[in-house]
Amino acid sequence: NAGVTQTPKFRVLKTGQSMTLLCAQDMNHEYMYWYRQDPGMGLRLIHYSVGEGTTAKGEVPDGYNVSRLKKQNFLLGLESAAPSQTSVYFCASMTGNEQFFGPGTRLTVL
Amino acid sequence: KQEVTQIPAALSVPEGENLVLNCSFTDSAIYNLQWFRQDPGKGLTSLLLIQSSQREQTSGRLNASLDKSSGRSTLYIAASQPGDSATYLCAVRPNDYKLSFGAGTTVTVRA
């Protein structure tokens, strides 16, 4: 039981490049989330999903897109990366009560 | 909008001392509150989950209390050890599927 996994662990992009972050969970959870964590600001919700085929905007959705084609996967896309998107990205999934987090992806945009 | 505050931002104590970490939130209409631990460069690990109907939860040396009416939760860690050094975050879940996080308290336990 791997829990929540994220791919890749690290990535460096140039401004304007695109990329996709993959989150996978093997706990059959309905709810999945993408957060970003910046120093001194805690975790901020980017997008979330309440089930396969559904997505919704969180607190800071601009510049990001998501898809949930399969229940176990939640993808986060950056179409045109900007330096302001340099951050650590965390994926999480949730039962009815408790959230479980992946190990994070450290993204640097130059 | 739910605002979650954790004070202090950092705390340093000698080994063996009890730790008291505070979390306050502005809207008392919550579903539950969760405490997490985060080690440097790592993800978040869930420590304790308190439902809105509960007053406290305990796990080993950890005890978390919840006072919804005053918008406060406290995490107590008894007899601290150097291995307890980490950042501790609280997260409040209102009556939907989204959590609001505090910025965390970074704890250093000195040997």
Side-chain angles (χ1 to χ4, degrees), chain A residues 1 8-11 16-17 24-25 27 29-30 32 39 41 44 63-64 67 71 77 81 90 100 106:
Chain A
N1 195 343
K9 289 184 170 49
F10 302 94
R11 186 71 185 269
Q17 288 185 318
Q25 54 98 1
M27 297 175 282
H29 289 169
E30 289 292 336
M32 296 188 74
M41 299 190 72
R44 292 182 291 169
Y64 305 95
S67 63
K71 186 177 184 179
F90 287 102
F100 297 88
R106 186 172 297 274

Side-chain angles (χ1 to χ4, degrees), chain A residues 31 33 35 37 40 42-43 45 48 50 59 90 94 96-99 101-103 106, chain B residues 1 31-32 34 36 38 41-44 46 49 51 89 93 97-99 101-103:
Chain A
Y31 313 122
Y33 306 81
Y35 296 92
Q37 186 176 38
L43 275 80
L45 182 64
Y48 65 102
V50 299
E59 183 184 354
F90 287 102
M94 189 169 75
N97 282 317
E98 193 172 358
Q99 280 207 357
F101 280 77
R106 186 172 297 274
Chain B
K1 180 189 172 188
Y31 184 75
N32 63 37
Q34 199 168 352
F36 293 89
Q38 185 176 28
K42 304 292 185 183
L44 281 68
S46 179
L49 176 77
Q51 299 292 356
L89 297 97
R93 180 183 164 188
Y97 307 111
K98 299 177 287 184
L99 273 64
F101 283 81

Side-chain angles (χ1 to χ4, degrees), chain B residues 14-49:
Chain B
E15 183 176 2
E17 190 166 301
N18 296 333
L19 284 164
V20 180
L21 307 179
N22 299 304
C23 172
S24 62
F25 47 95
T26 55
D27 187 346
S28 62
I30 66 169
Y31 184 75
N32 63 37
L33 183 146
Q34 199 168 352
W35 280 95
F36 293 89
R37 169 183 172 139
Q38 185 176 28
D39 293 294
K42 304 292 185 183
L44 281 68
T45 300
S46 179
L47 296 174
L48 289 168
L49 176 77

